[in-house]
Amino acid sequence: MADSSYIELLNVARADLDILCQKVDLQNILDLPSFEHAPLPIGTTLWSSEYAVLLFWPSFASDREGIVTEAAKAQGWFDELLSFKEKEKRKKLIDGYLVLALPAAPEGEAKEEVRKLEISSQICRKHVVWPRAVGDKNYNEQAWMRISDVTVLGLPDVTTTEVEGLYWPEIDSEAQAVWDDLMSIGVGRTVQKDERE
């Protein structure tokens, strides 16, 4: 049984995504197609355009096994949808974006699973989001972490200040490790290494 506060948070995430989707001409599809695959979880939402499809798939578990299971179900359903749309468009490729919504921030092995999932190019581009902790200083500004990072939705509406010269952004240790691998062993071997881990 789904927790009512999580259902409310899912509604917030869907509303936030809807605003961003409208800006890039992705329209909410109210009648989701049914396939023989797993049933859709409560709150599943789809946006579509001529060039892309975005699937919001709620997960009700944040542990490693839950992430693996829900990602597999979502990708299976999404693969059928993308194949159907490409046949309908006479083989024209459609970009697919899966947004997997977790009920809480992943930790330990689950965090590593999120990293693997997001760098995998199998079926579609994947993003994992989760609600901010209630005590987070930015909780009232944006209830969900990483919503604005979904690649198809473009850059957020922000103004930036002009800076003299170039600067290198600060990245966390995991991102630095991936960057170091890319620079030392190249893209192909980095992908192979990450898929083995």
Side-chain angles (χ1 to χ4, degrees), residues 102-114:
L102 305 181
E107 295 181 7
E109 289 181 345
K111 193 173 182 181
E112 183 60 29
E113 194 59 44
V114 165

Side-chain angles (χ1 to χ4, degrees), residues 128-183:
V128 182
V129 299
W130 53 84
R132 286 187 187 278
V134 176
D136 187 308
K137 65 180 181 178
N138 295 318
Y139 182 77
N140 291 329
E141 293 172 24
Q142 186 177 38
W144 283 79
M145 300 287 291
R146 308 169 93 219
I147 285 265
S148 59
D149 295 343
V150 178
T151 50
V152 71
L153 301 179
L155 298 173
D157 294 329
V158 296
T159 55
T160 58
T161 57
E162 201 170 307
V163 178
E164 287 278 329
L166 299 175
Y167 68 95
W168 192 253
E170 290 182 33
I171 57 177
D172 65 22
S173 60
E174 289 178 36
Q176 185 63 50
V178 172
W179 180 253
D180 292 342
D181 285 348
L182 287 169
M183 297 310 297

Side-chain angles (χ1 to χ4, degrees), residues 13-30 32-33 43-58 74 77-78 81-82 85 94-101 124-129 146-154:
R14 291 166 50 197
D16 289 349
L17 280 171
D18 192 53
I19 291 167
L20 294 171
C21 284
Q22 287 180 34
K23 290 181 180 183
V24 293
D25 202 29
L26 287 165
Q27 303 301 314
N28 190 335
I29 305 300
L30 299 177
L32 298 179
T44 302
T45 309
L46 186 69
W47 290 268
S48 183
S49 73
E50 288 292 315
Y51 66 92
V53 180
L54 186 141
L55 175 63
F56 179 73
W57 187 281
W77 188 89
F78 208 21
L81 175 78
L82 292 170
K85 286 186 88 50
I94 307 282
D95 286 337
Y97 298 86
L98 169 62
V99 179
L100 183 66
C124 60
R125 179 76 170 101
K126 291 163 279 294
H127 296 275
V128 182
V129 299
R146 308 169 93 219
I147 285 265
S148 59
D149 295 343
V150 178
T151 50
V152 71
L153 301 179

Side-chain angles (χ1 to χ4, degrees), residues 6-16 43 56 144:
Y6 181 50
I7 297 295
E8 288 175 28
L9 280 169
L10 289 173
N11 290 336
V12 170
R14 291 166 50 197
D16 289 349
F56 179 73
W144 283 79

